[in-house]
């Protein structure tokens, strides 16, 4: 029989942990009690792939002792929502302490950044953008210089399991 493949390096960075301090990333802002920041996810099919990270502005808002839960939200994506160009739309209230990660679909501009490609109405490119966003949220992909989701939100996170929420037509992409 063939020897078992060692997967430890792939999963060694995942779990409930404090990822430490990171560097400043893309445009950022605040909506009420929530902060948001854009991140550029390297690799994949896109020249430029962006995601939006939304999290409570108060780092003390923690409903879980082990770290903040991470949920990737697949927002509606059959038509471009021009109201999102300057800032994203959060789906969780700050009091829940959830770290929300949303892909910026091909051809969309959200929070001042645009993912390369054309709007494909929730098609294969949108699915690829969502897949890469999930990989980043789960700790399988880091940004430039090794920056992780924990660095972006500057607090302990729990990403050994990542939730996935499909909103409206965004559920079709899932």
């Amino acid at each position: 029989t063939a020897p078992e493949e060692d997967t430890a390096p792939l999963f060694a960075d995942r779990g409930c942990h404090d990822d430490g301090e990171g560097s400043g990333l893309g445009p950022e802002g605040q909506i009420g009690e929530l902060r948001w920041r854009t991140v550029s996810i390297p690799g994949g099919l896109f020249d430029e792939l962006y995601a939006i990270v939304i999290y409570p502005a108060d780092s003390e808002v923690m409903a879980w002792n082990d770290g903040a839960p991470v949920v990737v939200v697949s927002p509606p994506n059959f038509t471009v929502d021009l109201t999102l160009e300057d800032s994203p739309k959060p789906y969780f209230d700050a009091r829940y302490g959830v770290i929300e990660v949303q892909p910026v679909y091909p051809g969309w501009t959200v929070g001042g950044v645009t993912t390369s490609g054309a709007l494909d109405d929730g098609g294969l490119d949108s699915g690829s953008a969502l897949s890469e966003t999930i990989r980043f949220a789960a700790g399988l992909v880091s940004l430039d210089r090794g920056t992780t989701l924990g660095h972006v939100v500057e607090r302990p996170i729990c990403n050994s399991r990542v939730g996935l929420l499909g909103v409206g037509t965004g559920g079709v992409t899932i």
Side-chain angles (χ1 to χ4, degrees), residues 66-80:
D66 291 335
V70 177
V71 177
V72 174
V73 176
S74 178
N77 60 4
F78 279 16
T79 57
V80 173

Side-chain angles (χ1 to χ4, degrees), residues 148-173:
T148 65
L149 181 59
H151 293 123
V152 174
V153 300
E154 300 174 331
R155 69 195 70 207
I157 62 170
C158 187
N159 66 346
S160 58
R161 292 188 179 165
V162 173
L164 186 57
L165 171 67
V167 180
T169 57
V172 175
T173 304

Side-chain angles (χ1 to χ4, degrees), residues 131-143:
S131 175
E132 290 302 312
T133 301
I134 293 168
R135 290 172 44 78
F136 165 67
L140 299 175
V141 173
S142 61
L143 308 178

Side-chain angles (χ1 to χ4, degrees), residues 76-100:
N77 60 4
F78 279 16
T79 57
V80 173
D81 185 345
L82 299 177
T83 66
L84 302 176
E85 286 188 359
D86 295 324
S87 67
K89 176 183 178 184
Y91 289 91
F92 289 93
D93 189 280
R95 69 178 173 233
Y96 299 118
V98 171
I99 307 302
E100 182 177 338

